[in-house]
Amino acid sequence: MNPFTTHGAISWPELQTSDPESAATFYSAVFGWSTETMPMPMGDYTIVKIDGAGIAGIMSKQVEEMPDSWSFYVTVDSVEQIANRVADLGGTVI
């Protein structure tokens, strides 16, 4: 299964944190991840890797008041269909 092309798969977790460098060091020590950091206009972005393949990202949080948190991207065949389904089931698309 390829999470980037499989409908319903979590394709990319991303940590927004006040201390991305410490977070990358911590998770690398816990899970054995390797990391590669690249400069971006919004601040450095760290790609988390297993066996050389990118599996997640770590970045500085963009809103200071926001708590440090993980976000998850889910691959879908049609964003419009999923947004309509969410609304039909009583959810709110934001």
Side-chain angles (χ1 to χ4, degrees), residues 5-69:
T5 59
T6 303
H7 177 84
I10 293 174
S11 55
W12 194 257
E14 189 170 71
L15 175 62
Q16 289 193 39
T17 178
S18 57
D19 192 350
E21 188 174 317
S22 290
T25 299
F26 172 78
Y27 286 110
S28 293
V30 170
F31 298 117
W33 292 344
S34 62
T35 59
E36 178 182 340
T37 301
M38 63 181 81
M40 302 287 282
M42 64 195 169
D44 288 349
Y45 190 85
T46 299
I47 303 291
V48 174
K49 297 182 174 186
I50 295 176
D51 295 332
I55 57 129
I58 299 173
M59 62 187 283
S60 292
K61 60 184 177 179
Q62 302 301 297
V63 178
E64 192 58 37
E65 297 78 25
M66 182 178 117
D68 291 6
S69 60

